[in-house]
Amino acid sequence: MKFGIVVFPGSNCDRDMQHALSVDLGQEVEMLWHKDQDLSHFTSDDCIVLPGGFSYGDYLRCGAIARFSPMMQSVITFAENGGKVLGVCNGFQILCESGLLPGALLQNNHQQFSCKNVFIQGKDGKPLQIPIAHGEGRYYADEATLNQMESNGQILFTYCGKGGESGAAYNPNGAVRDIAGICNANRNVFGMMPHPERATSSVLHNQDGIAVFKQLGLI
Amino acid sequence: MEITVATAQQLRLTEDEFELIQKKLGRMPNFTELCAFSGMWSEHCSYKNSIKWLKTLPRDGNRMLVKAGEENAGLMDIGDGLGVVFKIESHNHPSAIEPFQGAATGVGGIQRDIFTMGARPIASLNSLRFGNIQDPKTKRLLSGVVKGIGHYGNCFGVPTVAGEVYFDGCYHTNPLVNAMSVGIVESGKTVSATALGTGNPVFYVGSATGKDGIGGASFASADITEDSAEELPAVQVGDPFQEKKLLEACLEVIETGAVVGMQDMGAAGIICSTAEMSAKGEVGMHIDLEKVPTRQKNMKAWELLLSESQERMLMVVEKGREQEVIDVFAKWDLSCSEIGYVTNDQLLKFYMHGNLEAEIPAYELVLGGGAPQYTRAYREPKYMAQIKEWNINQVNDVSSEAIRGIAEQLIQLPNIASKRWIYQQYDSMVGAANTQTNDPSDAAVVWVKGTNKALAMTVDCNSRYVYADPQKGGMIAVAEAARNLVCSGAEPLGVTNCLNFGNPYDPEVYYQFSKAVTGMGEACRKFNTPVTGGNVSFYNQNPDGPVYPTPTIGMVGLLENTSQKLSMYFKKPGDIIVLIGKSVDDIGCSEYVHNILGHKHSAAPYFDIHEELKVQKFVSVANQQQLLSSAHDVSEGGLIVTLLEKTFFKGLGMQVAQHADLRKDAYWLGEAQGRIVATCSPENFEKLRQGAEAAGVPIAQLGEVTLGDISVDGEFWGIVSDWKKLYDEAIENLMGA
């Protein structure tokens, strides 16, 4: 399995993702330019990553322009053919904008950009400390969609307290049902607001991000 | 148009300067030429009232790879073929008028100074000063500035890793916004801001030029008033997405090897970049202004020369390799226009559709060339008499019980309380190299990826001390910066400074300036930290008077290995808490005296530069011997605040008691300099004590780290989480979020 990281002109977590995957996690990584379109050397065992940042400046709506980029057309086809796609932060926003994932990411309920460590938990319930850094990370979908996602097990990560407790105090942006990360019904497209690539190195005193990549089945 | 003295004065040139210009040109300048001089001879570009004093600062050192002030930023060797590039700059006046864009473009401007040299920025810092936080105007300015810094830095993708924020009435009308950036460059890949090679093409790259920011440099060179909002066009508008693309494109184009020289267009835009690059290369330039990409129609020559539109660079390229450059900028969808070429006559000639609009010898425009240099008169300010009269006996000492209540007030003062309402709006972690998030230390420690090294960095200045004693205050700013680096396990390397003062034509302001620079120079020599560059911002003044003299020190240090890092918080119950450095009966200029008791003219705190250096050296050595588990310097709020701050990160408490026979207020609340609170394991304590004795450094055991209870002088003060809540939420409560 290898990773392809899409570089949009305003991506700024692309190099962090590259470092985390190749240096910290020992994976094969290739950088992909947004103006290119060729994904023929990737198979459905591989994973395309849409990193964080401000893809095209995001002055309109986060990810609204990126979905029209040449590379995204190939990524959409790649996903439809069963290839794995992970979007982190701005990448998650792009996946929602392009319809690969349900729902949308709205401005944080406190109206401010927010960067800090938060705790999230996946299926095993173990709280993981992962950084967030976003102004528009409040996940939203309508009730019917949410119920369907829940019954399909598409809600992969929710915000929680240090001890795994839930509640508004631990939800950093007002996301509906404390949602931090989701996948599509086919379970090959993943999106999350927290940055696991910022928590994979011992130098930074936090390696909880490794567990995130593991839970997504990517390593 | 007839050019007269009145025209010159409208452009903020003096009568003498107007005459000097005529003498240098041998004729009357036309309006465009006069505008060029107005921008270039403004205080902001020419340093005309400061350069004589700046030259007294130590500007040499064996790690320095370029001379101070020679390039856009300082460059120092950090070994293994790498250099660190760093600089601090002010954006005070724009932020006073339009806080969001003012602060945003301040961040953008300083980043360009770093990457124009070929370095990739890895960290940003800032130093902010506002008036009383209770005032609605201050809240608006603070919100706007923080949003602006976040907007630009977060999108640009460089983490904001450290900073300082002070609130004092003197900054009410004229807040200070100083932004610093630090970058890494491989040796041999640096680019100089020099134009060379007759016939080489001159390229304009980046965003198109508009009418924004025209006269920004001269705007920054005048007093600010409540009416200054009418000068709004002098404030620039930033686009961090363009800057991000410009960064990547510039670093990529440098890789081609086709770039001869490059300079960003900051203050005074095209005229400044063409003049400085030409003067340094002892060449001239022929520029066709109609080839400059514009976003407004019919811009005049003088507007094109002075516009401070953001995200632009001037680049001299090797003739014959133009296409390589054009291709890179096309890839990044950025404008790239060949607007002229290098000439050998040392003249700047600006044409518009073939008409010569301005012809000026490059040398005459620039600092170190024809720009005037002044020696200003100074005299001791009148308020100094009040400070000299003040003494500690005007304050009654307090009881042990009272200390607790004062400590509660202190940790909620906006100058001391947690700044998380501010820094959480900045992306502090992009780059995945900031070690502060999970292991906080006094200075930010940023890992240099691909190596084992890390850089430590800090910005410091307690301007109240400088106000009380400009020379000592200038020294303390340097000493505190060095102390913060040492407390983080780093070896201090060098300094960049941002000198924020009032109107230099006021002799009392000039006294503060000259004395502060003298003090800084003395301290930089003592700590072996040369000044690599920086910025002077005068005219931080309004009708009520100048701001406190604020020489902000940005200092960078090196950790050869990230494992050398020392962090600031209590690590383990049972660890011994020690105070390293001398305790004295002093409370001058403390937050307690100034902001709780309301003595606005107390003396600067105790400071002895020799003792300070000894303390810092000792802590460095003890860290190398791995004797310490934490270190945090004593600064605002005194010893008790330092101790409380050490409890917060892990929630570990302390049991401490006064060890010296001193006034209680002085002991717990005084801000005497040269003190560091450290911890060590019980096993290491004796070794540490002996080491201190051998080094001639006072050391005292204050107590030990506990599980979560706080006890001071035998009294139970409650649990850490309650204190932390007060500390964390004070500013959030004031800002209503």
Side-chain angles (χ1 to χ4, degrees):
Chain A
M1 175 166 173
K2 69 176 173 192
F3 290 84
I5 300 172
V6 180
V7 181
F8 298 102
S11 295
N12 60 32
C13 304
D14 47 333
R15 297 152 57 87
D16 300 349
M17 186 62 82
Q18 179 186 27
H19 191 272
L21 288 171
S22 62
V23 179
D24 297 336
L25 303 173
Q27 301 295 312
E28 185 185 347
V29 178
E30 188 184 319
M31 304 307 272
L32 304 166
W33 184 237
H34 68 115
K35 289 182 182 173
D36 295 334
Q37 240 177 329
D38 183 15
L39 284 181
S40 60
H41 49 304
F42 285 85
T43 73
S44 56
D45 288 338
D46 298 331
C47 178
I48 303 298
V49 182
L50 308 182
F54 290 70
S55 44
Y56 289 87
D58 286 345
Y59 293 122
L60 175 57
R61 207 170 58 240
C62 298
I65 296 184
R67 64 173 283 210
F68 295 109
S69 70
M71 181 52 78
M72 270 314 289
Q73 308 320 305
S74 306
V75 171
I76 291 168
T77 311
F78 176 81
E80 283 165 358
N81 292 334
K84 296 191 182 78
V85 179
L86 166 65
V88 172
C89 199
N90 189 224
F92 186 15
Q93 294 164 339
I94 296 168
L95 289 174
C96 289
E97 284 287 336
S98 52
L100 287 175
L101 287 174
L105 292 147
L106 310 178
Q107 191 173 39
N108 296 346
N109 57 352
H110 48 78
Q111 315 294 311
Q112 283 176 351
F113 186 95
S114 180
C115 175
K116 59 184 180 183
N117 274 330
V118 299
F119 286 91
I120 60 173
Q121 58 188 354
K123 216 169 164 187
D124 66 2
K126 186 174 176 258
L128 301 169
Q129 183 173 248
I130 308 289
I132 55 161
H134 58 247
E136 297 175 32
R138 174 162 56 106
Y139 185 75
Y140 177 80
D142 61 49
E143 280 298 303
T145 309
L146 289 167
N147 291 337
Q148 198 183 359
M149 285 167 68
E150 211 156 81
S151 62
N152 287 346
Q154 286 173 248
I155 298 173
L156 299 181
F157 295 105
T158 52
Y159 298 109
C160 64
K162 195 176 182 174
E165 53 283 47
S166 61
Y170 310 109
N171 182 333
N173 51 34
V176 63
R177 299 191 192 183
D178 300 330
I179 289 173
I182 60 168
C183 67
N184 62 349
N186 288 334
R187 312 194 76 78
N188 65 322
V189 180
F190 314 98
M192 62 189 299
M193 287 314 296
H195 288 270
E197 81 280 9
R198 296 184 181 185
T200 55
S201 168
S202 60
V203 177
L204 302 181
H205 296 260
N206 181 7
Q207 296 181 286
D208 282 7
I210 297 173
V212 170
F213 287 107
K214 279 190 180 150
Q215 287 190 33
L216 293 173
L218 298 176
I219 54 168
Chain B
M1 168 175 194
E2 198 199 345
I3 302 298
T4 63
V5 165
T7 327
Q9 283 168 339
Q10 270 170 9
L11 292 169
R12 291 180 175 150
L13 289 160
T14 65
E15 197 174 336
D16 290 346
E17 286 166 354
F18 181 55
E19 273 170 27
L20 190 60
I21 291 166
Q22 294 174 58
K23 216 158 93 191
K24 289 193 180 287
L25 291 180
R27 62 180 164 83
M28 183 63 81
N30 64 29
F31 183 71
T32 305
E33 289 163 342
L34 200 59
C35 284
F37 278 100
S38 153
M40 291 304 293
W41 285 13
S42 68
E43 192 69 54
H44 193 80
C45 291
S46 74
Y47 294 81
K48 58 191 170 191
N49 286 309
S50 61
I51 188 65
K52 290 201 171 169
W53 284 99
L54 298 180
K55 282 184 175 165
T56 68
L57 293 167
R59 302 190 295 168
D60 291 310
N62 47 11
R63 282 184 184 269
M64 283 181 71
L65 298 177
V66 297
K67 278 191 187 160
E70 282 284 293
E71 295 290 348
N72 282 283
L75 170 60
M76 296 187 86
D77 186 14
I78 59 166
D80 294 345
L82 295 175
V84 57
V85 177
F86 60 103
K87 191 184 181 189
I88 190 167
E89 205 164 69
S90 63
H91 234 213
N92 303 336
H93 285 189
S95 304
I97 305 303
E98 213 295 77
F100 179 84
Q101 289 296 348
T105 52
V107 173
I110 196 64
Q111 304 297 352
R112 282 194 300 284
D113 279 332
I114 303 305
F115 69 81
T116 191
M117 292 181 65
R120 180 176 283 279
I122 62 163
S124 297
L125 302 89
N126 55 67
S127 168
L128 311 177
R129 325 251 159 182
F130 300 95
N132 182 347
I133 195 174
Q134 312 268 7
D135 191 295
K137 178 188 164 122
T138 299
K139 289 185 188 185
R140 183 183 69 83
L141 287 172
L142 174 63
S143 299
V145 164
V146 170
K147 256 206 156 61
I149 292 172
H151 163 74
Y152 209 102
N154 298 348
C155 178
F156 183 61
V158 172
T160 303
V161 299
E164 52 167 8
V165 190
Y166 285 92
F167 300 91
D168 192 288
C170 70
Y171 301 109
H172 176 79
T173 305
N174 196 132
L176 301 184
V177 175
N178 296 174
M180 173 171 164
S181 179
V182 180
I184 293 287
V185 64
E186 284 175 52
S187 52
K189 288 197 178 164
T190 54
V191 174
S192 172
T194 309
L196 289 172
T198 304
N200 275 338
V202 176
F203 276 84
Y204 167 114
V205 300
S207 297
T209 297
K211 292 187 183 178
D212 51 329
I214 288 176
S218 46
F219 167 57
S221 307
D223 289 3
I224 200 154
T225 67
E226 295 287 351
D227 297 331
S228 297
E230 286 168 19
E231 304 220 27
L232 207 53
V235 179
Q236 311 87 332
V237 177
D239 181 347
F241 175 57
Q242 292 300 321
E243 176 120 324
K244 161 72 177 163
K245 294 197 297 175
L246 189 60
L247 159 72
E248 299 297 343
C250 285
L251 294 185
E252 210 169 304
V253 84
I254 289 167
E255 288 287 332
T256 66
V259 178
V260 174
M262 178 157 68
Q263 174 157 346
D264 85 295
M265 295 189 211
I270 292 178
I271 184 63
C272 184
S273 52
T274 52
E276 290 186 353
M277 285 188 79
S278 299
K280 206 187 301 171
E282 297 180 353
V283 297
M285 279 185 192
H286 171 115
I287 302 289
D288 296 311
L289 287 171
E290 76 278 5
K291 292 181 180 164
V292 171
T294 56
R295 52 182 160 185
Q296 269 154 307
K297 278 187 190 154
N298 303 321
M299 283 185 70
K300 302 205 169 55
W302 67 271
E303 292 172 322
L304 288 165
L305 288 184
L306 289 186
S307 164
E308 295 185 7
S309 288
Q310 300 289 292
E311 295 94 25
R312 306 179 300 161
M313 293 277 190
L314 192 77
M315 200 178 279
V316 175
V317 171
E318 206 178 308
K319 194 168 176 54
R321 301 187 67 179
E322 293 86 346
Q323 197 56 44
E324 292 170 66
V325 172
I326 292 167
D327 288 347
V328 169
F329 286 91
K331 175 186 165 188
W332 289 95
D333 300 314
L334 288 166
S335 300
C336 174
S337 310
E338 189 176 330
I339 61 166
Y341 52 87
V342 176
T343 61
N344 62 4
D345 57 8
Q346 306 196 23
L347 289 174
L348 294 176
K349 291 185 183 175
F350 296 99
Y351 293 84
M352 195 80 160
H353 302 293
N355 295 324
L356 183 62
E357 296 278 346
E359 179 180 326
I360 309 170
Y363 175 85
E364 300 297 358
L365 288 168
V366 301
L367 163 68
Q373 297 188 7
Y374 301 128
T375 310
R376 299 249 76 89
Y378 57 86
R379 66 159 183 269
E380 189 177 282
K382 287 197 191 71
Y383 70 81
M384 294 296 289
Q386 272 174 276
I387 287 170
K388 284 174 187 163
E389 270 170 28
W390 186 88
N391 76 71
I392 192 170
N393 297 323
Q394 293 167 14
V395 176
N396 293 325
D397 196 6
V398 294
S399 65
S400 279
E401 300 80 63
I403 296 286
R404 178 180 175 177
I406 297 166
E408 269 185 26
Q409 283 178 274
L410 280 172
I411 58 161
Q412 296 181 78
L413 287 178
N415 286 348
I416 293 177
S418 167
K419 307 297 184 295
R420 78 177 182 187
W421 184 89
I422 294 164
Y423 67 73
Q424 285 184 351
Q425 295 189 56
Y426 308 144
D427 190 338
S428 57
M429 302 184 220
V430 62
N434 180 8
T435 68
Q436 291 308 97
T437 315
N438 304 306
D439 188 34
S441 48
D442 278 5
V445 175
V446 180
W447 177 28
V448 181
K449 278 182 165 173
T451 74
N452 293 323
K453 295 176 197 290
L455 291 170
M457 52 199 79
T458 182
V459 280
D460 289 290
C461 177
N462 186 315
S463 58
R464 191 190 307 149
Y465 303 168
V466 189
Y467 177 75
D469 184 337
Q471 188 159 342
K472 199 201 245 186
M475 288 165 77
I476 290 174
V478 174
E480 183 181 0
R483 202 187 309 136
N484 283 330
L485 296 183
V486 164
C487 284
S488 309
E491 173 205 351
L493 293 184
V495 160
T496 178
N497 60 58
C498 195
L499 308 176
N500 308 273
F501 288 82
N503 189 327
Y505 293 85
D506 174 344
E508 296 196 350
V509 166
Y510 212 72
Y511 175 92
Q512 296 172 329
F513 175 75
S514 58
K515 294 292 174 190
V517 172
T518 304
M520 282 166 48
E522 209 174 324
C524 286
R525 281 187 191 89
K526 187 80 181 176
F527 293 100
N528 193 24
T529 51
V531 176
T532 64
N535 160 242
V536 179
S537 171
F538 281 130
Y539 305 97
N540 292 293
Q541 179 144 4
N542 62 62
D544 299 331
V547 299
Y548 279 166
T550 314
T552 309
I553 300 296
M555 199 183 279
V556 171
L558 178 66
L559 291 85
E560 284 294 345
N561 196 301
T562 53
S563 64
Q564 258 173 262
K565 179 177 174 179
L566 193 53
S567 42
M568 54 77 69
Y569 55 96
F570 290 144
K571 299 285 175 354
K572 203 174 154 195
D575 271 3
I576 307 285
I577 304 169
V578 297
L579 175 64
I580 299 166
K582 191 157 128 191
S583 299
V584 291
D585 255 335
D586 176 59
I587 53 170
C589 262
S590 62
E591 282 288 321
Y592 169 60
V593 161
H594 190 88
N595 278 328
I596 293 182
L597 298 182
H599 293 228
K600 299 299 180 193
H601 285 92
S602 61
Y606 175 84
F607 175 71
D608 180 307
I609 197 167
H610 310 290
E611 291 172 6
E612 172 85 49
L613 184 63
K614 271 201 215 169
V615 165
Q616 292 188 18
K617 287 228 152 118
F618 171 67
V619 168
S620 283
V621 170
N623 182 45
Q624 279 158 19
Q625 296 171 336
Q626 301 185 330
L627 295 178
L628 304 176
S629 53
S630 74
H632 182 27
D633 82 315
V634 178
S635 58
E636 285 80 12
L639 180 61
I640 192 62
V641 167
T642 304
L643 286 163
L644 288 166
E645 285 173 344
K646 286 177 78 83
T647 68
F648 295 148
F649 186 69
K650 277 191 100 170
L652 293 173
M654 61 186 174
Q655 190 172 4
V656 290
Q658 179 167 349
H659 81 278
D661 185 20
L662 296 172
R663 288 171 57 122
K664 290 211 175 306
D665 55 1
Y667 185 82
W668 292 111
L669 314 171
E671 296 180 12
Q673 299 294 297
R675 294 181 296 160
I676 291 169
V677 177
T679 53
C680 66
S681 65
E683 304 80 66
N684 283 334
F685 175 67
E686 193 45 35
K687 204 168 165 197
L688 189 68
R689 198 191 58 74
Q690 285 170 4
E693 214 163 74
V697 171
I699 187 167
Q701 184 173 349
L702 300 185
E704 65 179 62
V705 179
T706 66
L707 272 171
D709 287 351
I710 296 175
S711 154
V712 179
D713 278 343
E715 276 180 61
F716 178 61
W717 278 27
I719 55 172
V720 172
S721 52
D722 290 340
W723 285 84
K724 181 170 168 17
K725 195 173 150 63
L726 295 177
Y727 175 80
D728 280 345
E729 294 177 0
I731 289 182
E732 290 176 350
N733 291 338
L734 284 165
M735 295 304 289

